[in-house]
Each structure stands twice: as structure tokens, then as C-alpha cells.
Amino acid sequence: MDKTAVVHGRSSVAQTDPLFPGYPFDQHLVAGITPIVSGGPLDFRIDRPHGMKGFILNMTVRGTGDVFDGDRSVRCERGDLLLFAPEARHDYGRADGHGEWFHRWVYFRPRGFWSPWLQWPGASRHIGRLHLHGEALRAEFEDLFTRVDQTHRGGRPTSQELAINQLEHLLIRCVEEAPAQATRAIDARVQAACQFIARHLARDLSLEEIAREACLSPSRLAQLFRDQMGVTIVRWREDQRLILAKHLLRSSSTAICTVSSLVGYDDQLYFSRVFRKRVGVSPSEFRRGA
Ligand code: FCB
């Protein structure tokens, strides 16, 4: 298809690089890294007076940025995460007097049940902010951003779905690392249930046991949990198990059968089946970096 269009008598080519103005952002997810170096081709301010249609999650990985929300400026350094709500005005770039600003970002249209993960405490009303303390945590998040990006460019028919799945992981980790007020929207009894499940991931807790811990009847807990978290308890526990399994597979040499039982699957074959279905590859392929 010829992408050249004639606009006002001038020939213009559709922008295919999301780092430059004019890119349409017409997908559910677009991810990348913007390496701004003083005097370089990307050393301009990204100015969107009406924001964007979707959210942007932004992490400074190097250097210093300056983000203006229409009222005030916020400095960003390594480990700062920002979440721009749709239509949130933003105007940002390398901070004056600093040689570079590298940031990783994910632009996305959220799924409905993500809303509890998108209520961050603010740098301003429409821009949430989270600071990651410690290099291990920063490296983990940088890796999560990179994975969303790489998965998305993976060239598989399912790449977009898998990248959305990785983004869910990233957003959940953000919620886990956010100060307590970020999770204020979640009912304390649902939080108690989550903590109880997370502490006993290796056990097959019954709904009754979890409900007792949360001081609710099983049916009330099941309903409240679904309303607030957007997923069932069983699904949430499965997510947590897979998150832990992925972490153990990549960060340790623990045998796969041990990983399987540590995260609550006594039957390794069943674990591998669930893992492949949800992650797209087998546990051993995942460990090898597939
Ligand atoms: C790119 C910017 C990046 C982010 C995405 C959505 O052009 O470099 O910061 O805003 O757009």
C-alpha cells in the first residue's frame, strides 16, 4: 500500500516511528524506549496539550527528565515511574542542564478490570507517580518494561496478547510497590484475602478458609473479590503462582518439579500445562529465555 498522502499540496509520509510526532498510536499497546541525548534527534519536548487516548506508563532508566502537567513541573530520575491518564495534558523532555534522559514507556488502552491498578497516588491529578527504592527493584522493573516491548515485537500471531499479559504483570507489580494509599480503593477484607493467599501460595486453601481470614461469608467474599479485583479468587491465585514461578525459574536454578510444588502444583505436568497456556512457552523454555 502506498503510504504517501498529499496534504495541502505537500507530500507527507505516514509516520511509522512512535518516537516522532505524527505516529497514530492506533493499537492497544505500543512500547519502546526514548533515548534523549542533548543535541540528538530526539532532544525535543513531547507536548500533548490534550494528552492521548490511552494511558502511558513511563519509567526513567537514565538521566533526568522534566515533566510539566500544565500546572507544575516534576523532575524524574532513575526509578521514577509515572502513569499518565488518558487526556492528561503533558509536556516533557530532558531536564535543562542534564545531558540525557532515557525513559522506557508503554502506551496502552486498558482492559476494564485493570481499573483498580490504575488509581495511583499523584504527582498531579492526572499523573500518578511511584518511586522505586533500590537498584534490584529498578532492574526488575526495567526488565519488565523491556519484556513488554520485546514480547510485543516478537512477531508471533499472539504477540499483542502476550505483551498485554506482560503489561498486566508490570501493572500488578506497580500496585504491589505503591505506598499503602495507592491500594486504598481496595476493600481491606479483599486485601486481607490477597495477603493470606499470597502467604500460602503453595497450599490449596479452600474458599471457606480464605473467607474466614477475611471475616466474610464465602459467597460475599467471592463476589466482593471479583468486583474489586476484576478476576475470580482462583484466577488471581493462579496469576500470583505464575508470577512467583517465573521469578523462581529466571532467578534461581531450583528444579522445575520443586518450583511446581513451591507455587502450589503437586502435579508437575499440570503445572507445565497451565504455565504454557498462560505464558505461551513451557517452564523450561521460559527458563532458557524463550
Ligand atoms: C513517544 C514518547 C514516549 C511516550 C510515547 C507514547 O513518542 O517518546 O515518551 O510518550 O510516545
Side-chain angles (χ1 to χ4, degrees):
M1 191 180 76
D2 182 7
K3 284 189 174 168
T4 309
V6 176
V7 182
H8 301 307
R10 289 208 328 259
S11 167
S12 78
V13 177
Q15 180 56 264
T16 52
D17 186 340
L19 300 191
F20 289 95
Y23 182 82
F25 287 99
D26 51 4
Q27 299 181 45
H28 276 86
L29 185 151
V30 185
I33 180 165
T34 304
I36 304 177
V37 178
S38 171
L42 295 172
D43 196 16
F44 52 84
R45 290 198 67 92
I46 295 152
D47 183 10
R48 301 187 180 112
H50 307 291
M52 297 184 84
K53 283 194 184 142
F55 282 80
I56 316 169
L57 186 59
N58 175 308
M59 176 180 179
T60 297
V61 293
R62 221 157 100 181
T64 309
D66 165 66
V67 176
F68 180 65
D69 67 3
D71 290 327
R72 59 196 186 100
S73 282
V74 177
R75 278 284 155 110
C76 305
E77 309 217 292
R78 181 159 171 78
D80 279 324
L81 288 171
L82 295 174
L83 180 68
F84 297 84
E87 271 130 53
R89 163 162 194 195
H90 57 271
D91 167 0
Y92 57 67
R94 179 181 56 81
D96 281 345
H98 293 262
E100 58 183 20
W101 184 41
F102 284 28
H103 61 276
R104 283 211 160 265
W105 51 269
V106 185
Y107 166 81
F108 62 97
R109 307 281 191 96
R111 291 186 165 153
F113 64 85
W114 292 3
S115 48
W117 308 335
L118 300 170
Q119 329 277 334
W120 287 25
S124 74
R125 206 153 60 86
H126 300 292
I127 306 178
R129 184 172 199 186
L130 169 61
H131 182 72
L132 301 172
H133 295 277
E135 194 41 43
L137 201 55
R138 292 171 190 170
E140 180 201 332
F141 273 73
E142 194 174 341
D143 185 48
L144 291 173
F145 271 84
T146 309
R147 268 195 235 163
V148 174
D149 188 5
Q150 285 173 349
T151 305
H152 191 237
R153 294 171 202 261
R156 303 155 60 137
T158 51
S159 290
Q160 169 110 343
E161 286 303 302
L162 288 171
I164 290 175
N165 190 263
Q166 304 270 18
L167 172 61
E168 287 183 352
H169 180 152
L170 172 56
L171 290 171
I172 294 170
R173 286 293 292 118
C174 291
V175 171
E176 285 180 339
E177 293 305 325
Q181 71 266 32
T183 51
R184 196 175 41 199
I186 305 286
D187 187 286
R189 295 163 298 179
V190 172
Q191 285 188 44
C194 291
Q195 281 160 8
F196 186 58
I197 299 166
R199 275 203 311 275
H200 300 286
L201 271 189
R203 279 184 51 206
D204 262 326
L205 298 171
S206 67
L207 178 60
E208 285 70 23
E209 277 176 283
I210 304 169
R212 217 174 301 127
E213 183 73 17
C215 304
L216 286 168
S217 71
S219 59
R220 179 78 188 111
L221 172 65
Q223 193 193 346
L224 192 62
F225 196 98
R226 207 193 170 114
D227 288 349
Q228 297 233 327
M229 305 297 288
V231 285
T232 63
I233 294 180
V234 171
R235 176 67 176 210
W236 189 84
R237 178 169 63 192
E238 189 175 287
D239 287 343
Q240 299 304 308
R241 286 175 161 172
L242 291 172
I243 290 168
L244 179 60
K246 288 201 257 180
H247 175 70
L248 291 172
L249 288 167
R250 281 266 166 87
S251 64
S252 74
S253 52
T254 313
I256 293 181
C257 61
T258 312
V259 171
S260 164
S261 62
L262 281 174
V263 302
Y265 298 96
D266 290 335
D267 177 350
Q268 193 192 329
L269 278 179
Y270 181 66
F271 166 65
S272 297
R273 214 162 50 231
V274 173
F275 194 96
R276 181 182 281 282
K277 187 164 159 225
R278 296 286 312 279
V279 183
V281 290
S282 70
S284 50
E285 285 165 340
F286 181 82
R287 171 165 271 165
R288 287 198 301 271

